[in-house]
């Protein structure tokens, strides 16, 4: 009885509404269909919006491309619901320089249906679609279909198997991001051997029209699959992980398969491998020029006459703790600021003139201290660790100071490790920074446990005082370097401010020497030290003159800009990009010994290489973003594009003339 009432109500309702199941318009017809004449619980059933369109007209896919709009529908279903929408594989329609995704002549949007109870189903749909040729015409219509319930099975309409729809992703298929440039993205599609060997045609369609241009990507077959170069929209995002694509494959045997697949992030190097390079990079930091003056302080402390083996080990562990804690702290700050939208990279602390001036001031005081001009037993000497009976805090601070000064010297191996680490989960990233710190502290920790190595050094004695005085000069050399860095960041009035501050420090020290009471003298010196650092608050940073190290009209180097690089690549020019900064010692050495030498400049000129300098002395989000596009966030970085190629070559951090010459030798040999 209930079934009868329901059916009668449905029929009366349908008659009263008189909603048709098809809609005819001047350019064609659309009809609401079902895959079977009736449904039962033993069979799958689907609804379909079937379009027949006149020649030269087309309707759209879910990503319409450069123009147009996907159709919209709103379902109202009695005794059922839509469980999945299936869009047939589209075609590309070039029109007036634009490319659209859609369907011409005939197509069927398919909707898999789920029923609630064994009763008839009534489906109503409000349909809105756009049909285009050159002009576009929108249509709006309501369609209705009644699908009776029947205990016996029925045949599926061949119309519902006529078109190609996405299916499950074939086994062994994955799609990885390889690299990203300013205007394109390289990906690698891996297919099973059986499928890959039998492909006749392969097409890909981006579902994300806001970030990918609709033209067919450049495709290249490789030994492991297919490599694609996708053109990006001008305002595309930077993280393409998870971006979906539709892949359509036709095989030589006549089969067709389609599936939707999302891009996976670039395979991350194994953590153990990154940690190894981080450890090695930390070790190398010990021989970098910007950290050596600080390490000399630590060496001096190891030569103290009253050191016991136990004291050496404790001192070594405190020094290591200072280094590792500082690396983890800087890494944590870097992660935090980057997660909050700040564009920072490794060595960012020296992008601040105040910090560069502060370190220069500290080293200036330490230099005079090493020369024996004054002694401060309870403060600065903790850094120098001259008094060995209470050096734990001093050893820790020496580690902190060494880290702060060392970070701009990223050195070989370290840049790639840090860049890779920032793509890892935060705990792994911090582990990499801890690895860097351990590598840097390892030689001193080894000395603390194997003091026999110290026997190769002379016995403690009067020579140590002379040695300490000599070590003052590397500190002063570092002061000069920091002042030069400062001169690249602020106007000369700022540098003059620091020089006057140094003059005042010298005068303060001279005045303190006139005080006979030793305790009062140390208090006066400590006050002077604090005041000198506090005075840097008034450093005239507002007079910053960014770009002093950028190219000038007479310079062979052009100022880096993403637009210029893209333009050069489109013109097929060879390009060399120098990512540099005044505080990057390795950058300056490479520049002096290789890049700016006459023969290398002539080599660049003879081969018509466009030279670009990306100066990161001051914080520049555009350069930070460019570094990130090459998987780096530290300096130095050298990138070369050969003539007519968009494939960047990442060069080693330490350059040689032969390495640059080989770029062009290999180019000449290539076909």
């Amino acid at each position: 009885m209930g079934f009868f009432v329901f059916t009668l109500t449905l029929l009366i309702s349908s008659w009263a509404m008189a909603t048709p199941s098809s809609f005819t318009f001047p350019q064609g017809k659309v009809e609401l269909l079902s895959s079977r004449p009736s449904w039962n619980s033993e069979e799958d059933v689907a609804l379909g919006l079937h379009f027949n369109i006149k020649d030269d007209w087309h309707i759209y896919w879910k990503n319409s491309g450069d123009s147009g709009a996907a159709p919209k529908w709103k379902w109202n279903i009695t005794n059922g619901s839509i469980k999945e929408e299936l869009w047939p594989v589209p075609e590309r329609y070039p029109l007036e320089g634009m490319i659209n995704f859609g369907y011409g002549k005939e197509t069927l949007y398919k909707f898999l249906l789920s029923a609630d109870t064994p009763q008839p189903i009534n489906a109503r749909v409000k349909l809105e679609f756009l049909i285009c040729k050159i002009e576009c015409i929108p249509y709006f219509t309501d369609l209705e279909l009644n699908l009776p319930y029947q205990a016996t099975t029925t045949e599926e309409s061949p119309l519902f198997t006529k078109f190609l729809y996405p299916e499950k992703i074939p086994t062994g298929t994955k799609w990885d991001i390889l690299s990203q440039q300013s205007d394109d993205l390289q990906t690698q599609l891996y297919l099973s051997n059986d499928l890959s060997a039998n492909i006749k045609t392969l097409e890909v369609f981006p579902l994300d029209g806001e970030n990918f241009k609709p033209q067919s990507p450049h495709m290249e077959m490789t030994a492991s699959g297919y490599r694609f170069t996708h053109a990006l929209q001008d305002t595309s995002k930077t993280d393409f992980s998870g971006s979906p694509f539709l892949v359509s494959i036709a095989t030589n045997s006549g089969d067709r398969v389609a599936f939707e697949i999302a891009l996976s992030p670039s395979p991350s190097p194994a953590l153990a491998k990154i940690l190894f390079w981080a450890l090695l990079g930390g070790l190398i930091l010990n021989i970098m020029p910007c950290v050596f003056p600080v390490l000399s302080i630590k060496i001096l402390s190891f030569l103290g006459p009253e050191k016991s083996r136990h004291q050496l080990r404790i001192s070594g562990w405190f020094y290591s703790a200072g280094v590792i804690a500082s690396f983890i702290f800087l890494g944590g700050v870097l992660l935090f600021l980057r997660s909050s939208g700040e564009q920072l990279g490794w060595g960012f602390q020296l992008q601040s003139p105040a910090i560069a001036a502060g370190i220069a001031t500290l080293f200036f005081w330490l230099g005079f201290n090493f020369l024996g001009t004054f002694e401060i037993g309870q403060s600065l000497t903790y850094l120098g660790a001259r008094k060995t009976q209470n050096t734990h805090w001093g050893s820790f601070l020496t580690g902190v100071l060494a880290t702060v000064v060392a970070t701009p010297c990223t050195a070989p191996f370290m840049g790639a490790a840090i860049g890779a680490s920032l793509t890892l989960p935060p705990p792994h990233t911090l582990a990499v920074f801890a690895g860097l710190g351990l590598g840097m502290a390892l030689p001193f920790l080894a000395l603390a446990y194997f003091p026999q190595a110290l026997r190769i050094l002379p016995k403690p004695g009067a020579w140590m005082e002379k040695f300490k005085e000599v070590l003052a000069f590397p500190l002063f050399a570092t002061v000069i370097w920091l002042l030069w860095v400062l001169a690249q960041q602020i106007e000369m009035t700022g540098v003059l401010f620091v020089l006057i501050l140094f003059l005042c420090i010298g005068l303060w020290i001279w005045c303190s020497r006139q005080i006979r009471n030793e305790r009062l003298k140390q208090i006066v010196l400590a006050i002077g030290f604090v005041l000198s650092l506090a005075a840097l608050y008034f450093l005239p940073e507002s007079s910053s003159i960014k770009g002093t190290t950028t190219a000038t009209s007479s310079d062979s180097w052009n100022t880096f800009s993403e637009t210029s690089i893209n333009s050069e690549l489109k013109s097929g020019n060879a390009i060399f990009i120098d990512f540099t900064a005044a505080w990057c010692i390795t950058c300056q050495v490479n520049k002096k010994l290789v890049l700016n030498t006459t023969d290398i400049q002539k080599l660049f000129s003879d081969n018509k290489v466009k030279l670009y300098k990306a100066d990161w002395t001051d914080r520049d989000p555009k350069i930070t973003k460019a570094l990130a596009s090459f998987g780096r966030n530290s300096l130095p970085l050298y990138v070369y594009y050969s003539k007519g190629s968009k494939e960047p070559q990442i060069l080693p951090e330490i350059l040689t003339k032969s390495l640059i010459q080989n770029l062009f030798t290999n180019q000449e040999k290539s076909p």
Side-chain angles (χ1 to χ4, degrees):
M1 183 63 180
F3 174 73
F4 173 77
V5 172
F6 177 84
T7 306
L8 182 61
T9 304
L10 202 61
L11 290 174
I12 294 174
S13 173
S14 302
W15 174 79
M17 297 299 293
T19 305
S21 62
S22 64
F23 171 63
T24 302
F25 47 97
Q27 299 80 21
K29 178 183 177 183
V30 57
E31 186 175 10
L32 175 59
L33 302 173
S34 63
S35 60
R36 300 176 191 276
S38 60
W39 79 275
N40 68 54
S41 54
E42 303 298 323
E43 299 171 326
D44 292 330
V45 65
L47 299 175
L49 288 168
H50 181 223
F51 280 83
N52 273 294
I53 304 169
K54 290 183 178 178
D55 290 345
D56 302 325
W57 291 85
H58 62 272
I59 53 176
Y60 292 94
W61 186 46
K62 60 176 85 176
N63 172 17
S64 62
D66 283 328
S67 64
K72 297 179 182 177
W73 39 70
K74 185 176 181 180
W75 291 95
N76 182 6
I77 298 178
T78 302
N79 192 35
S81 59
I82 301 295
K83 64 179 182 181
E84 187 177 359
E85 297 180 359
L86 293 175
W87 297 65
V89 173
E91 297 179 31
R92 282 184 166 85
Y93 288 88
L95 183 66
E96 302 290 333
M98 296 185 295
I99 294 177
N100 295 329
F101 297 128
Y103 315 95
K105 296 183 178 178
E106 182 185 14
T107 195
L108 181 98
Y109 301 98
K110 193 171 171 181
F111 307 87
L112 303 185
L113 198 57
S114 173
D116 298 333
T117 59
Q119 294 177 345
I121 295 173
N122 175 257
R124 294 167 179 263
V125 61
K126 286 183 176 296
L127 177 63
E128 172 185 343
F129 65 93
L130 187 69
I131 185 165
C132 295
K133 189 176 179 182
I134 294 178
E135 67 277 23
C136 291
I137 304 170
Y139 288 104
F140 306 86
T141 185
D142 290 355
L143 302 175
E144 181 178 11
L145 178 73
N146 292 312
L147 187 63
Y149 176 79
Q150 185 172 305
T152 56
T153 59
T154 56
E155 291 292 327
E156 185 178 30
S157 167
L159 189 61
F160 279 73
T161 57
K162 180 177 181 180
F163 305 93
L164 182 62
Y165 300 93
E167 301 173 357
K168 287 179 62 176
I169 299 174
T171 304
T173 302
K174 64 173 186 172
W175 202 345
D176 290 339
I177 297 171
L178 294 182
S179 63
Q180 179 187 347
Q181 302 302 315
S182 55
D183 59 354
D184 61 42
L185 181 77
Q186 283 209 338
T187 61
Q188 176 84 18
L189 177 64
Y190 300 91
L191 299 169
S192 65
N193 292 336
D194 292 343
L195 185 58
S196 183
N198 198 28
I199 287 180
K200 182 179 180 182
T201 62
L202 191 158
E203 284 190 277
V204 297
F205 303 89
L207 277 81
D208 181 356
E210 293 186 359
N211 293 293
F212 293 91
K213 292 184 177 177
Q215 59 254 44
S216 297
H218 174 73
M219 183 173 69
E220 178 184 357
M221 188 172 182
T222 66
S224 54
Y226 291 84
R227 180 170 297 176
F228 294 91
T229 302
H230 309 267
L232 299 176
Q233 300 284 9
D234 295 337
T235 56
S236 66
K237 60 185 180 181
T238 55
D239 181 8
F240 296 95
S241 301
S243 294
F245 279 79
L246 173 66
V247 178
S248 171
I249 295 174
T251 66
N252 291 314
S253 54
D255 295 329
R256 297 178 68 199
V257 62
F259 53 89
E260 290 184 1
I261 185 171
L263 295 178
S264 302
S266 305
S268 298
L271 181 61
K273 185 177 178 182
I274 297 176
L275 287 174
F276 170 77
W277 287 116
L279 191 72
L280 188 59
L283 276 170
I284 292 175
L285 273 178
N286 287 293
I287 59 172
M288 297 309 289
C290 52
V291 74
F292 178 74
V294 180
L295 299 186
S296 64
I297 300 172
K298 192 61 196 166
I299 292 173
L300 195 62
S301 74
F302 271 31
L303 296 175
E306 61 271 39
K307 285 276 185 180
S308 69
R309 177 168 296 191
H310 176 72
Q311 286 175 322
L312 277 176
R313 290 179 179 179
I314 296 295
S315 177
W317 276 112
F318 269 87
Y319 171 78
S320 301
V323 173
I324 295 171
S326 301
F327 266 95
I328 293 175
F329 175 77
L330 287 174
V333 170
L334 195 61
L335 283 175
F336 173 75
L337 292 178
R338 287 172 71 94
S339 67
S340 60
E342 288 284 345
Q343 297 292 322
L344 294 176
W346 195 236
F348 63 90
Q349 65 273 23
L350 284 188
Q351 290 177 332
S352 165
I355 292 180
I359 296 175
T361 304
L362 173 62
F363 277 26
F364 191 70
W365 276 95
L366 285 174
F368 275 101
N369 177 247
F370 272 41
L371 285 176
T373 310
F374 67 91
E375 302 287 348
I376 299 181
Q378 300 302 314
S379 54
L380 281 184
T381 47
Y382 279 165
L383 295 173
R386 184 166 183 265
K387 292 182 181 290
T388 56
Q389 66 273 21
N390 187 20
T391 60
H392 297 164
W393 184 233
S395 296
F396 185 88
L397 286 182
T398 304
V400 173
L401 185 62
T403 304
V404 172
V405 179
T407 48
C409 295
T410 53
F413 314 112
M414 195 171 162
I418 292 176
S421 72
L422 291 176
T423 65
L424 299 175
H428 292 181
T429 301
L430 294 179
V432 171
F433 281 102
L436 283 166
L438 179 61
M440 184 171 165
L442 210 51
F444 291 92
L445 200 56
L447 272 180
Y449 272 83
F450 302 99
Q452 303 90 322
L454 292 172
R455 292 176 186 169
I456 62 176
L457 298 175
K459 297 279 184 190
W463 69 270
M464 288 185 59
E465 193 63 26
K466 295 295 181 188
F467 182 60
K468 181 171 73 77
E469 292 173 3
V470 169
L471 290 180
F473 292 97
L475 288 173
F476 287 131
T478 307
V479 171
I480 294 172
W481 166 60
L482 289 168
L483 288 176
W484 180 78
V485 171
L486 206 58
Q488 312 306 310
Q489 298 173 312
I490 58 178
E491 288 187 345
M492 282 308 297
T493 51
V495 180
L496 186 62
F497 176 89
V498 178
L499 291 175
I500 293 174
L501 178 63
F502 287 175
L503 177 65
C504 294
I505 292 172
L507 182 61
W508 191 282
I509 293 173
W510 181 82
C511 291
S512 70
R513 288 169 59 87
Q514 313 309 313
I515 301 173
R516 298 199 173 186
N517 184 300
E518 188 61 27
R519 186 173 181 80
L520 178 62
K521 180 192 296 185
Q522 294 208 359
I523 292 174
V524 169
L525 285 167
I527 292 173
F529 176 70
V530 173
L531 288 177
S532 64
L533 292 179
L536 293 174
Y537 176 78
F538 301 101
L539 180 70
E541 290 186 54
S542 60
S543 57
S544 175
I545 50 169
K546 291 182 178 182
T548 50
T549 57
T550 55
T552 63
S553 58
S554 59
D555 197 350
S556 58
W557 294 88
N558 301 290
T559 302
F560 173 86
S561 81
E562 188 177 330
T563 305
S564 300
I565 297 298
N566 291 337
S567 176
E568 299 285 6
L569 288 175
K570 286 178 181 175
S571 302
N573 293 327
I575 306 171
F576 187 96
I577 309 174
D578 174 14
F579 289 88
T580 183
W583 40 262
C584 172
I585 293 288
T586 310
C587 305
Q588 303 309 319
V589 172
N590 284 334
K591 198 177 300 180
K592 181 70 176 175
L593 299 183
V594 181
L595 293 179
N596 284 351
T597 57
T598 304
D599 46 345
I600 294 299
Q601 282 292 311
K602 184 175 184 303
L603 198 60
F604 281 139
S605 176
D606 292 345
N607 288 278
K608 299 179 180 177
V609 179
K610 302 294 183 182
L611 303 178
Y612 282 87
K613 182 186 295 179
D615 190 346
W616 208 33
T617 301
D618 294 320
R619 190 182 305 174
D620 187 335
K622 293 177 182 175
I623 295 178
T624 308
K625 180 183 174 185
L627 282 167
S629 70
F630 295 108
R632 298 292 179 86
N633 74 336
S634 58
L635 300 179
L637 174 66
Y638 304 99
V639 180
Y640 175 66
Y641 293 89
S642 60
K643 186 177 180 181
S645 172
K646 292 187 177 181
E647 290 287 337
Q649 296 182 44
I650 308 296
L651 305 185
E653 284 84 351
I654 294 181
L655 298 179
T656 62
K657 288 186 177 180
S658 61
L659 189 149
I660 301 296
Q661 289 162 350
N662 286 339
L663 290 177
F664 306 107
T665 305
N666 295 336
Q667 184 174 288
E668 290 170 0
K669 290 179 180 177
S670 62

